[in-house]
């Protein structure tokens, strides 16, 4: 849940501190407060007691000279110094000058519906940033405990944050120069807490080999390559010595007498960020400059120690921090848990002030780092992804959207065939199984019959076509017209009926167009042809989809026009198909029913059987997008041949007409359709146009 964000900028100018709180749509509150000289002295006293109490620090600290008795109780001194510092610090922050700022943050936290408030704190200069701002208890008297979190952010941020990648978390662990301190404990904790949910790599071969006289460039090169690994890292972990260097962004010690600055490895860090690096942990001393440098480079969050840290305290901190992180808490929660762990009675006795040292620096625009659960949950979509997916699914249910997307897909496929598979776009060398006789505009103009007055076709003209095809010994003729206009063309109907009967007597099969699945049903008139010796096929179709029988359907009740033609063409070539099943004018039973009942008992060859059993998959009954499609990316010349009706009547003879399925169909004239309104004309698919 997104929390409300405030940006609090604090600048010390001489003896004054300027406070500027900004949030929302440009709202700003400002205040000015006198910086307490007493606070400066109390911080120095605390720092002196802290450094004298703790030994074996993960940083290089100048030797502190103090004139005190040898029996000085530094633990007690540190506890007292911390109490004085925090008391004075909190009293200073309760000044009336800051009341408006405190009130705005507290009231927002109380009424927040987004889980609380994050305050992004920027302090200038560095001395001001060293104070324990995380202990500021804003509005606790109003019930804001646990609702306000303080994160630090640098004064300058030049780079955008990192968008987390969807992958198993990868961790690069770097152990620096140990200087008689054991940093391998950090590595062992990493393995213990994260090995089940992250891929961890240890790099600790930075030790400078004095005997081989290995130069600094070689060490830097190895470190650069590890950080900039093209596979990328999500977490960069460092355990070792580090220090502040304001001009070079902080430094880390990686080998005896060898420290490198963040600026020196900045190119590798930029590359690592491009490869997904989003979070860094520096379990080392004096890390303010390091954290500011990395956030400025665009990392999402960096956890550091602001002061020198005792080796055992560092171990305790990282143990609890990684434990919370492995429980899939975000990085800020994990740091708070670790600090609260160090505040427990037992830990506070042994490690006073330890809970004041850790800080998290955050990029204000970045998502908080959080480990993701592995297994199938890793692949669960985010909220945005879920919304996008649901939107796509809902739109995909719309038939017009499906058809448009399918058209673009086939268009792209046609381009691919043209560029990569040119053999698929050249005309077939062998004969095509289909010949379309097109009644086009040229045929209509050349015909003496009056087409414009008769829809959908003049039967006298159709009679001439059938007679001509019969003369050329066509064995299968499909007529893609609804021939039910016998009342409007009585004389022409008788001529057409006689031409059909003459063709039947020459063993020609006829499949007439019909509308079988809608009311009213339309089909060939009984005066033209009887369904006892001819067939009807449903010509209703979706332009981009293949028409087949339903999964459990039967051709006895309804049968697609194109499916019938393909089956008959194959039956004519099947030697196992009995001759007695040829159309016969003497038949007295419904021919389609008789035919398909006979096919159930005949041992057909494999090719015929394959066509006979060709049906829609069961899923196509529920989802249009699972329906088989017509692949328009193949050029029409790869599928069928065409001839103008006028050219056929004029004497042109296609070379394989006696072996082809003949389809008589409208050829694009403006009046095509039952009502002479051009409804049989469709726009060319993009793939065919190409």
């Amino acid at each position: 849940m997104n929390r409300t964000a405030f940006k609090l900028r604090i600048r010390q100018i001489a003896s004054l501190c300027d406070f500027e709180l900004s949030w929302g749509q440009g709202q700003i509150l400002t205040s000015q407060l006198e910086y307490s000289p007493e606070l400066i002295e109390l911080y120095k006293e605390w720092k002196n007691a802290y450094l004298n109490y703790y030994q074996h620090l993960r940083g290089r600290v100048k030797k502190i000279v103090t004139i005190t008795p040898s029996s000085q109780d530094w633990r007690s001194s540190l506890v007292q110094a911390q109490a004085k510092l925090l008391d004075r610090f909190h009293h200073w922050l309760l000044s009336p000058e800051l009341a408006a700022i405190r009130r705005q943050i507290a009231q927002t936290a109380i009424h927040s519906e987004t889980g609380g408030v994050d305050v992004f704190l920027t302090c200038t200069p560095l001395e001001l940033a060293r104070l324990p701002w995380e202990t500021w208890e804003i509005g606790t008297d109003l019930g804001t405990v646990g609702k306000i979190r303080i994160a630090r952010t640098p004064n300058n941020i030049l780079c955008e944050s990192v968008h987390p990648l969807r992958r198993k978390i990868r961790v690069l662990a770097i152990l620096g120069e140990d200087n008689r301190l054991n940093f391998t404990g950090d590595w062992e904790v990493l393995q213990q807490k994260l090995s089940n949910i992250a891929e961890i790599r240890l790099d600790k071969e930075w030790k400078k080999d004095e005997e081989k006289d290995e130069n600094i460039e070689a060490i830097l090169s190895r470190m650069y390559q590890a950080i900039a690994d093209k596979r990328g890292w999500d977490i960069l972990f460092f355990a070792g010595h580090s220090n502040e260097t304001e001009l070079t962004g902080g430094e880390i010690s990686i080998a005896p007498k060898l420290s490198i600055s963040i600026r020196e490895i900045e190119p590798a860090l930029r590359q690592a960020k491009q490869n997904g690096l989003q979070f860094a942990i520096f379990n080392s001393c004096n890390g303010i400059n390091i954290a500011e440098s990395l956030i400025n480079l665009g990392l999402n969050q960096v956890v550091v120690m602001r002061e020198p840290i005792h080796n055992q305290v560092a171990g305790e901190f990282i143990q609890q921090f990684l434990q919370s992180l492995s429980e899939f808490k975000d990085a800020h929660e994990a740091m708070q848990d670790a600090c609260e762990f160090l505040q427990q009675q037992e830990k506070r006795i042994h490690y006073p002030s330890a809970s004041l040292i850790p800080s998290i620096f955050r990029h204000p625009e970045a998502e908080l780092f959080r480990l993701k659960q592995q297994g199938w949950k890793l692949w669960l979509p985010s909220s945005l992804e879920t919304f996008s997916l649901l939107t796509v699914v809902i739109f995909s249910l719309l038939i017009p959207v499906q058809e448009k997307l399918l058209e673009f897909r086939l268009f792209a496929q046609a381009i691919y065939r043209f560029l990569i598979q040119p053999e698929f776009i050249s005309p077939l060398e062998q004969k095509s199984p289909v010949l379309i006789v097109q009644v086009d505009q040229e045929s209509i103009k050349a015909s003496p019959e009056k087409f414009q007055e008769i829809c959908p076709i003049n039967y006298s003209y159709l009679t001439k076509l059938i007679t001509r095809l019969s003369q050329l010994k066509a064995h299968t003729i499909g007529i893609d017209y609804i021939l039910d206009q016998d009342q409007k063309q009585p004389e022409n109907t008788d001529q057409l009926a006689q031409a059909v009967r003459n063709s039947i007597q020459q063993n020609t099969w006829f499949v007439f167009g019909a509308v079988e699945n809608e009311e009213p049903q339309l089909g060939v008139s009984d005066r033209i042809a009887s369904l006892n010796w001819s067939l009807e096929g449903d010509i209703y179709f979706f332009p981009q989809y293949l028409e087949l029988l339903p999964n459990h359907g039967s051709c006895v009740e309804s049968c697609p026009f194109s499916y019938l033609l393909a089956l008959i063409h194959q039956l004519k070539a099947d030697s196992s198909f009995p001759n007695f099943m040829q159309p016969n004018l003497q038949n007295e039973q419904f021919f389609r029913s008789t035919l398909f009942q006979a096919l159930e008992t005949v041992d057909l060859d494999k090719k015929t059987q394959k066509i006979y059993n060709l049906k829609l998959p069961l899923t196509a009954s529920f989802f249009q997008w699972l329906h088989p499609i017509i692949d328009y990316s193949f050029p029409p010349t790869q599928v069928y041949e065409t001839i103008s009706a006028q050219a056929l009547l004029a004497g042109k003879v296609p070379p394989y007409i006696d072996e082809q399925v003949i389809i008589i169909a409208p050829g694009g004239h403006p009046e095509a359709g039952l009502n002479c309104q051009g409804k049989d004309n469709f726009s060319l698919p993009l793939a065919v146009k190409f």
Side-chain angles (χ1 to χ4, degrees):
M1 185 178 293
N2 294 327
R3 297 164 64 94
T4 304
F6 285 92
K7 295 180 181 179
L8 180 59
R9 187 179 298 272
I10 306 171
R11 292 183 295 268
Q12 181 186 356
I13 303 173
S15 62
L16 294 177
C17 282
D18 287 329
F19 287 73
E20 179 185 281
L21 182 72
S22 59
W23 72 98
Q25 302 298 318
Q27 293 100 315
I28 296 177
L29 269 178
T30 62
S31 183
Q32 203 171 64
L33 182 62
E34 187 82 19
Y35 187 46
S36 171
E38 182 184 358
L39 192 59
I40 301 174
E41 295 302 318
L42 289 174
Y43 170 78
K44 290 180 179 179
E45 291 179 15
W46 171 84
K47 184 74 172 283
N48 180 56
Y50 178 86
L51 295 179
N52 275 285
Y53 175 72
Y54 286 109
Q55 301 296 323
H56 307 296
L57 299 170
R58 292 188 174 186
R60 308 198 185 284
V61 183
K62 294 181 180 180
K63 185 176 181 180
I64 302 173
V65 178
T66 56
I67 304 175
T68 57
S70 58
S71 59
Q72 172 76 36
D73 183 355
W74 285 113
R75 196 199 72 81
S76 176
S77 298
L78 177 56
V79 170
Q80 294 179 35
Q82 174 185 323
K84 292 178 181 179
L85 173 63
L86 293 182
D87 180 69
R88 182 63 189 125
F89 185 50
H90 293 159
H91 185 269
W92 181 62
L93 293 173
L94 283 172
S95 299
E97 291 87 344
L98 299 182
I101 290 177
R102 294 194 305 269
R103 187 185 309 111
Q104 181 62 51
I105 297 174
Q107 289 180 350
T108 302
I110 292 170
H111 298 100
S112 174
E113 297 180 356
T114 59
V117 165
D118 283 341
V119 178
F120 289 88
L121 182 73
T122 301
C123 294
T124 307
L126 185 61
E127 287 71 22
L128 193 63
R130 290 198 178 102
L131 293 174
W133 291 95
E134 287 81 359
T135 66
W136 189 3
E137 298 174 343
I138 304 174
T140 52
D141 55 327
L142 300 176
T144 63
V145 177
K147 293 186 177 182
I148 299 174
R149 300 190 307 198
I150 295 178
R152 300 185 181 234
T153 190
N155 195 44
N156 299 312
I157 302 178
L158 300 180
C159 299
E160 295 181 355
S161 60
V162 180
H163 182 72
L165 299 180
R166 207 82 181 273
R167 65 183 178 194
K168 185 175 183 179
I169 296 296
R170 302 189 74 239
V171 183
L172 175 62
I174 298 176
L175 303 186
E177 177 204 357
D178 55 30
N179 192 26
R180 296 181 301 278
L181 297 178
N182 182 14
F183 299 145
T184 57
D186 291 44
W187 162 247
E188 292 170 356
V189 173
L190 266 176
Q191 287 186 304
Q192 176 189 353
K193 301 297 183 182
L194 303 185
S195 60
N196 291 332
I197 51 179
E199 178 184 341
I200 308 172
R201 171 181 162 185
L202 173 63
D203 278 299
K204 59 177 182 178
E205 302 301 327
W206 318 117
K207 308 291 186 290
K208 186 174 180 182
D209 193 332
E210 300 291 349
E211 295 181 0
K212 295 182 180 179
D213 193 28
E214 184 175 9
N215 58 39
I216 295 175
E217 287 75 12
I219 297 176
L220 288 175
S221 176
R222 291 208 311 272
M223 189 171 190
Y224 186 103
Q225 292 173 6
I227 296 174
D229 190 306
K230 63 182 181 181
R231 292 172 297 174
W233 308 105
D234 297 279
I235 302 176
L236 174 62
F237 176 84
F238 175 78
H241 299 295
S242 63
N243 267 304
E244 295 169 351
T245 57
E246 189 171 358
L247 296 179
T248 57
E251 66 177 14
I252 58 176
S253 177
I254 60 172
K257 300 179 182 178
L258 176 59
S259 296
I260 60 173
S261 68
I262 298 300
R263 181 170 296 178
E264 288 178 284
I265 57 172
E266 182 176 312
L269 290 168
R270 289 185 181 276
Q271 184 62 49
K273 179 200 168 189
Q274 291 181 3
N275 295 335
L277 180 62
Q278 51 180 310
F279 180 48
I281 308 167
F282 280 76
N283 201 22
S284 55
C285 299
N286 302 326
I288 292 180
N289 289 156
I290 294 173
E292 291 182 338
S293 298
L294 295 180
I295 297 296
N296 184 39
L297 287 175
L299 266 67
N300 293 354
Q301 292 93 38
V302 182
V303 170
V304 296
M305 306 297 166
R306 301 188 320 278
E307 303 283 355
I309 188 74
H310 187 271
N311 194 49
Q312 290 183 2
V313 175
E316 295 276 3
F317 172 83
I318 201 62
Q319 174 89 14
Q320 184 57 47
F321 179 83
L322 294 178
Q323 175 62 38
S324 296
L325 209 60
S326 68
E327 294 171 356
F328 308 107
K329 296 182 179 181
D330 67 49
H332 203 138
E333 287 179 289
M335 195 208 71
Q336 287 181 317
D337 287 350
C339 291
E340 290 173 3
F341 174 77
L342 294 175
Q343 284 180 326
Q344 293 178 6
Q345 181 69 27
E346 180 183 352
K347 302 299 178 182
R348 193 166 66 243
I349 292 175
H350 293 290
Y351 308 123
S353 291
S355 62
L356 304 182
I357 309 304
S359 286
I360 184 168
F361 283 71
R362 292 172 51 183
H363 195 298
E365 305 302 323
E367 175 185 344
L368 266 169
F369 178 81
R370 186 193 301 267
L371 292 172
K372 306 295 183 183
Q373 294 187 13
Q374 299 301 301
W376 63 272
K377 291 186 178 180
L378 175 66
W379 304 104
L380 289 177
S382 63
S383 299
L384 178 60
E385 290 169 336
T386 302
F387 175 78
S388 302
L389 180 61
L390 288 175
T391 302
V392 170
V393 169
I394 291 172
F395 273 96
S396 70
L397 294 174
L398 304 176
I399 298 297
V401 174
Q402 293 176 31
E403 292 179 348
K404 187 58 66 176
L405 292 175
L406 178 58
E407 184 172 14
F408 281 112
R409 169 196 156 186
L410 294 176
F411 176 58
Q413 200 164 302
I415 296 174
Y416 172 81
R417 293 192 191 283
F418 177 78
L419 297 175
I420 308 300
Q421 300 175 314
E423 67 273 12
F424 283 100
I425 64 173
S426 57
L428 288 173
E429 296 180 1
Q430 69 273 23
K431 68 178 183 295
S432 170
V434 179
L435 174 66
I436 298 180
V437 178
Q438 295 179 318
V439 182
D440 52 17
Q441 190 66 22
E442 288 72 18
S443 300
I444 293 174
K445 288 180 180 179
S447 171
E449 285 79 13
K450 297 180 179 180
F451 273 83
Q452 287 78 7
E453 298 176 4
I454 301 174
C455 292
I457 188 170
N458 189 300
Y459 288 174
S460 175
Y461 190 80
L462 186 57
T463 299
K464 292 180 180 180
L465 289 176
I466 291 175
T467 301
R468 176 61 177 159
L469 291 171
S470 181
Q471 293 171 353
L472 297 175
K473 302 187 182 305
H475 66 75
T476 305
I477 300 176
I479 300 179
D480 191 16
Y481 287 96
I482 303 294
L483 303 181
D484 61 352
Q485 301 292 324
D486 52 296
Q487 300 296 326
K488 295 182 179 180
Q489 306 182 60
E491 294 183 6
N492 293 345
T493 297
D494 292 339
Q495 296 175 13
L496 177 59
Q498 188 59 49
V500 171
R501 284 174 171 81
N502 292 339
S503 295
I504 290 289
Q505 290 176 342
Q506 297 182 31
N507 294 326
T508 301
W509 289 63
F510 278 89
V511 179
F512 295 96
V515 177
E516 297 183 325
N517 295 315
E518 290 189 354
E519 295 295 339
Q521 294 186 355
L522 304 174
V524 63
S525 169
D526 291 340
R527 288 184 57 186
I528 297 173
S530 170
L531 296 184
N532 291 340
W533 42 262
S534 66
L535 300 170
E536 273 188 341
D538 192 6
I539 59 175
Y540 186 83
F541 75 108
F542 291 99
Q544 293 179 314
Y545 298 95
L546 189 63
E547 293 303 317
L548 295 173
L549 284 172
N551 189 262
H552 298 294
S554 168
C555 258
V556 174
E557 297 178 359
S558 177
C559 207
F561 180 77
S562 57
Y563 171 80
L564 269 178
L565 288 172
L567 181 61
I568 292 169
H569 177 68
Q570 185 56 37
L571 287 173
K572 299 283 284 187
D574 191 341
S575 59
S576 62
F577 184 66
N579 289 328
F580 66 82
M581 285 307 303
Q582 299 293 332
N584 191 323
L585 295 176
Q586 306 305 317
N587 287 345
E588 295 181 355
Q589 295 181 341
F590 185 44
F591 185 44
R592 193 167 72 190
S593 175
T594 303
L595 173 64
F596 279 89
Q597 288 174 3
L599 290 178
E600 293 288 342
T601 64
V602 177
D603 187 16
L604 303 172
D605 68 22
K606 291 184 178 180
K607 190 171 183 180
T608 308
Q609 191 69 40
K610 184 176 181 180
I611 295 176
Y612 175 66
N613 293 328
L614 195 60
K615 295 183 179 181
L616 291 173
L618 183 61
T619 51
S621 302
F622 306 99
F623 305 106
Q624 182 69 31
W625 65 85
L626 296 177
H627 199 293
I629 66 170
I630 300 173
D631 191 352
Y632 288 120
S633 67
F634 282 94
T637 54
Q638 288 275 335
V639 182
Y640 57 83
E641 298 175 5
T642 61
I643 185 173
S644 168
Q646 184 271 334
L648 180 69
L649 294 177
K652 184 176 180 180
V653 180
Y656 305 109
I657 192 169
D658 59 335
E659 302 176 31
Q660 295 173 303
V661 172
I662 312 301
I663 300 176
I664 301 175
H669 61 89
E671 296 82 13
L674 290 176
N675 299 317
C676 287
Q677 297 177 355
K679 290 187 177 181
D680 277 357
N681 294 325
F682 299 89
S683 59
L684 280 177
L686 292 175
V688 177
K689 287 182 180 180
F690 176 77

